Amino acid sequence: MAVMRLFWTSLMLLFLILQDGYAEDKPRKISMRIVEEPSNYGYGNQVNSGVRTLTPRVKASNVSGPAPLQQLAGRCYSKVLGNYKYKFCPFYNVTQYEQSLRWNPYSGILGVWQEWEIENNTFTSMVMPEGDDCGGSRRRQVKVYFRCGNKNQVMNVTEPTTCNYMLEFKTPLVCHPHVMLVYPTLSEDLQLQWDQVEQELYEEQITQKGYKKRLRRIFEAAGYQLSQKKQEELKAAVSSQDKTKDGDFTTLQQCNAEYKKLREEVETLKEQIKTQEERFPEADDLVLEEHALDYDLMDDYL
């Protein structure tokens, strides 16, 4: 008897909860709690607090390149430009936080550190692709350019083309005229390989195209640029991240589909409760008499 009474008690509680959830026109009290939790909405919340966690879709590459710049690893530098706050973490990523009165201001990752762009024996920029989605199959990406300056600071961020950003960072670490040269940073073995490539180009044993390919392999071996294998691994990681996990929605269609399933489950539960009521009507009075709960009390505990 005690087991049956517990069963009917649980069943009626579920019924009351469902009824309360769908009685949208019925006024009721709502219990509220104030919690210390960063919000993603409203003016400057995520910008000022800086505590909202953004998860990159891929891992950042290892620290590499000019030795002086490697001192910047593990640090971050912010700059407010117009309605946006940008945060640059060398050898990690670049993020953007919208300061707006809109109900859903944007905050996200513009790019994740992957490799150096190298031209004419010079590290020209940090390349940070695989940022947040930017419509269709496009993703945001950033190139970071270093300029000589009196202190470490983000000077400017622009978007020359849609979803492609350019960040200018000033630092005294690049003021020496040779600090961004590639050749001096290579191991002795890789320097010898480069010397050999230069000799073959001079003797016209290889074309300019072949020369660039050979240099690319040297830069890949040094860890400055992604090899073909690394690029494939990166694509695989991105593809894996893009697969929808349980409870995660990347499109409105997915959200609507899951919502429809939940509604169907709720309707099924309501039908089951209705069937049980029709089969055992005498149980209603017994349960409600011994376990009467008003909506106000339930709101305090749900």
Side-chain angles (χ1 to χ4, degrees), residues 33-45:
R33 292 185 303 161
I34 298 177
V35 296
E36 295 298 326
E37 183 177 9
S39 172
N40 183 29
Y41 307 104
Y43 178 78
N45 284 341

PDB file of all heavy atoms in Angstrom, residues 33-45:
ATOM      1  N   ARG A  33      16.506  34.195  -7.576  1.00  0.00           N
ATOM      2  CA  ARG A  33      17.765  34.222  -6.850  1.00  0.00           C
ATOM      3  C   ARG A  33      18.746  35.136  -7.575  1.00  0.00           C
ATOM      4  O   ARG A  33      18.788  35.155  -8.795  1.00  0.00           O
ATOM      5  CB  ARG A  33      18.381  32.828  -6.757  1.00  0.00           C
ATOM      6  CG  ARG A  33      17.624  31.857  -5.883  1.00  0.00           C
ATOM      7  CD  ARG A  33      18.411  30.550  -5.775  1.00  0.00           C
ATOM      8  NE  ARG A  33      18.674  29.986  -7.085  1.00  0.00           N
ATOM      9  CZ  ARG A  33      19.620  29.092  -7.314  1.00  0.00           C
ATOM     10  NH1 ARG A  33      20.417  28.702  -6.346  1.00  0.00           N
ATOM     11  NH2 ARG A  33      19.801  28.597  -8.526  1.00  0.00           N
ATOM     12  N   ILE A  34      19.523  35.872  -6.842  1.00  0.00           N
ATOM     13  CA  ILE A  34      20.582  36.681  -7.430  1.00  0.00           C
ATOM     14  C   ILE A  34      21.873  35.894  -7.293  1.00  0.00           C
ATOM     15  O   ILE A  34      22.298  35.564  -6.188  1.00  0.00           O
ATOM     16  CB  ILE A  34      20.708  38.040  -6.722  1.00  0.00           C
ATOM     17  CG1 ILE A  34      19.404  38.831  -6.874  1.00  0.00           C
ATOM     18  CG2 ILE A  34      21.884  38.823  -7.278  1.00  0.00           C
ATOM     19  CD1 ILE A  34      19.416  40.144  -6.154  1.00  0.00           C
ATOM     20  N   VAL A  35      22.477  35.572  -8.429  1.00  0.00           N
ATOM     21  CA  VAL A  35      23.694  34.769  -8.402  1.00  0.00           C
ATOM     22  C   VAL A  35      24.833  35.556  -9.011  1.00  0.00           C
ATOM     23  O   VAL A  35      24.640  36.383  -9.893  1.00  0.00           O
ATOM     24  CB  VAL A  35      23.498  33.443  -9.174  1.00  0.00           C
ATOM     25  CG1 VAL A  35      22.448  32.597  -8.497  1.00  0.00           C
ATOM     26  CG2 VAL A  35      23.105  33.702 -10.614  1.00  0.00           C
ATOM     27  N   GLU A  36      26.029  35.282  -8.539  1.00  0.00           N
ATOM     28  CA  GLU A  36      27.224  35.936  -9.068  1.00  0.00           C
ATOM     29  C   GLU A  36      27.679  35.159 -10.301  1.00  0.00           C
ATOM     30  O   GLU A  36      28.515  34.266 -10.227  1.00  0.00           O
ATOM     31  CB  GLU A  36      28.320  35.971  -8.014  1.00  0.00           C
ATOM     32  CG  GLU A  36      27.988  36.817  -6.802  1.00  0.00           C
ATOM     33  CD  GLU A  36      27.781  38.279  -7.175  1.00  0.00           C
ATOM     34  OE1 GLU A  36      28.465  38.740  -8.100  1.00  0.00           O
ATOM     35  OE2 GLU A  36      26.948  38.932  -6.544  1.00  0.00           O
ATOM     36  N   GLU A  37      27.096  35.477 -11.452  1.00  0.00           N
ATOM     37  CA  GLU A  37      27.426  34.767 -12.680  1.00  0.00           C
ATOM     38  C   GLU A  37      27.507  35.772 -13.819  1.00  0.00           C
ATOM     39  O   GLU A  37      26.602  36.590 -13.996  1.00  0.00           O
ATOM     40  CB  GLU A  37      26.348  33.728 -12.985  1.00  0.00           C
ATOM     41  CG  GLU A  37      26.632  32.883 -14.212  1.00  0.00           C
ATOM     42  CD  GLU A  37      25.565  31.829 -14.416  1.00  0.00           C
ATOM     43  OE1 GLU A  37      24.549  31.883 -13.702  1.00  0.00           O
ATOM     44  OE2 GLU A  37      25.743  30.969 -15.289  1.00  0.00           O
ATOM     45  N   PRO A  38      28.576  35.763 -14.610  1.00  0.00           N
ATOM     46  CA  PRO A  38      28.694  36.706 -15.724  1.00  0.00           C
ATOM     47  C   PRO A  38      27.607  36.487 -16.749  1.00  0.00           C
ATOM     48  O   PRO A  38      27.248  35.354 -17.055  1.00  0.00           O
ATOM     49  CB  PRO A  38      30.078  36.404 -16.304  1.00  0.00           C
ATOM     50  CG  PRO A  38      30.365  35.004 -15.877  1.00  0.00           C
ATOM     51  CD  PRO A  38      29.714  34.848 -14.531  1.00  0.00           C
ATOM     52  N   SER A  39      27.070  37.578 -17.280  1.00  0.00           N
ATOM     53  CA  SER A  39      26.012  37.478 -18.274  1.00  0.00           C
ATOM     54  C   SER A  39      26.541  37.793 -19.659  1.00  0.00           C
ATOM     55  O   SER A  39      27.483  38.554 -19.821  1.00  0.00           O
ATOM     56  CB  SER A  39      24.892  38.467 -17.926  1.00  0.00           C
ATOM     57  OG  SER A  39      23.939  38.526 -18.960  1.00  0.00           O
ATOM     58  N   ASN A  40      25.888  37.249 -20.655  1.00  0.00           N
ATOM     59  CA  ASN A  40      26.264  37.480 -22.050  1.00  0.00           C
ATOM     60  C   ASN A  40      25.427  38.597 -22.652  1.00  0.00           C
ATOM     61  O   ASN A  40      25.526  38.894 -23.823  1.00  0.00           O
ATOM     62  CB  ASN A  40      26.060  36.185 -22.845  1.00  0.00           C
ATOM     63  CG  ASN A  40      26.498  36.335 -24.284  1.00  0.00           C
ATOM     64  OD1 ASN A  40      27.382  37.106 -24.579  1.00  0.00           O
ATOM     65  ND2 ASN A  40      25.866  35.600 -25.177  1.00  0.00           N
ATOM     66  N   TYR A  41      24.578  39.217 -21.846  1.00  0.00           N
ATOM     67  CA  TYR A  41      23.648  40.195 -22.385  1.00  0.00           C
ATOM     68  C   TYR A  41      23.810  41.554 -21.709  1.00  0.00           C
ATOM     69  O   TYR A  41      24.251  41.659 -20.576  1.00  0.00           O
ATOM     70  CB  TYR A  41      22.207  39.705 -22.210  1.00  0.00           C
ATOM     71  CG  TYR A  41      22.006  38.346 -22.774  1.00  0.00           C
ATOM     72  CD1 TYR A  41      21.921  37.234 -21.953  1.00  0.00           C
ATOM     73  CD2 TYR A  41      21.970  38.156 -24.148  1.00  0.00           C
ATOM     74  CE1 TYR A  41      21.770  35.970 -22.487  1.00  0.00           C
ATOM     75  CE2 TYR A  41      21.817  36.907 -24.696  1.00  0.00           C
ATOM     76  CZ  TYR A  41      21.710  35.816 -23.861  1.00  0.00           C
ATOM     77  OH  TYR A  41      21.570  34.566 -24.393  1.00  0.00           O
ATOM     78  N   GLY A  42      23.397  42.583 -22.410  1.00  0.00           N
ATOM     79  CA  GLY A  42      23.405  43.911 -21.844  1.00  0.00           C
ATOM     80  C   GLY A  42      24.706  44.651 -22.074  1.00  0.00           C
ATOM     81  O   GLY A  42      25.700  44.089 -22.498  1.00  0.00           O
ATOM     82  N   TYR A  43      24.703  45.910 -21.784  1.00  0.00           N
ATOM     83  CA  TYR A  43      25.846  46.773 -22.076  1.00  0.00           C
ATOM     84  C   TYR A  43      27.072  46.410 -21.252  1.00  0.00           C
ATOM     85  O   TYR A  43      27.065  46.446 -20.031  1.00  0.00           O
ATOM     86  CB  TYR A  43      25.489  48.227 -21.791  1.00  0.00           C
ATOM     87  CG  TYR A  43      26.647  49.154 -22.038  1.00  0.00           C
ATOM     88  CD1 TYR A  43      26.993  49.530 -23.323  1.00  0.00           C
ATOM     89  CD2 TYR A  43      27.412  49.609 -20.969  1.00  0.00           C
ATOM     90  CE1 TYR A  43      28.057  50.365 -23.543  1.00  0.00           C
ATOM     91  CE2 TYR A  43      28.484  50.445 -21.194  1.00  0.00           C
ATOM     92  CZ  TYR A  43      28.804  50.818 -22.476  1.00  0.00           C
ATOM     93  OH  TYR A  43      29.862  51.637 -22.703  1.00  0.00           O
ATOM     94  N   GLY A  44      28.115  46.041 -21.969  1.00  0.00           N
ATOM     95  CA  GLY A  44      29.428  45.893 -21.343  1.00  0.00           C
ATOM     96  C   GLY A  44      29.582  44.786 -20.344  1.00  0.00           C
ATOM     97  O   GLY A  44      30.598  44.707 -19.666  1.00  0.00           O
ATOM     98  N   ASN A  45      28.607  43.890 -20.164  1.00  0.00           N
ATOM     99  CA  ASN A  45      28.738  42.873 -19.137  1.00  0.00           C
ATOM    100  C   ASN A  45      29.950  41.985 -19.361  1.00  0.00           C
ATOM    101  O   ASN A  45      30.833  41.884 -18.530  1.00  0.00           O
ATOM    102  CB  ASN A  45      27.474  42.006 -19.079  1.00  0.00           C
ATOM    103  CG  ASN A  45      26.325  42.707 -18.395  1.00  0.00           C
ATOM    104  OD1 ASN A  45      26.537  43.665 -17.671  1.00  0.00           O
ATOM    105  ND2 ASN A  45      25.114  42.256 -18.619  1.00  0.00           N
TER     106      ASN A  45
END
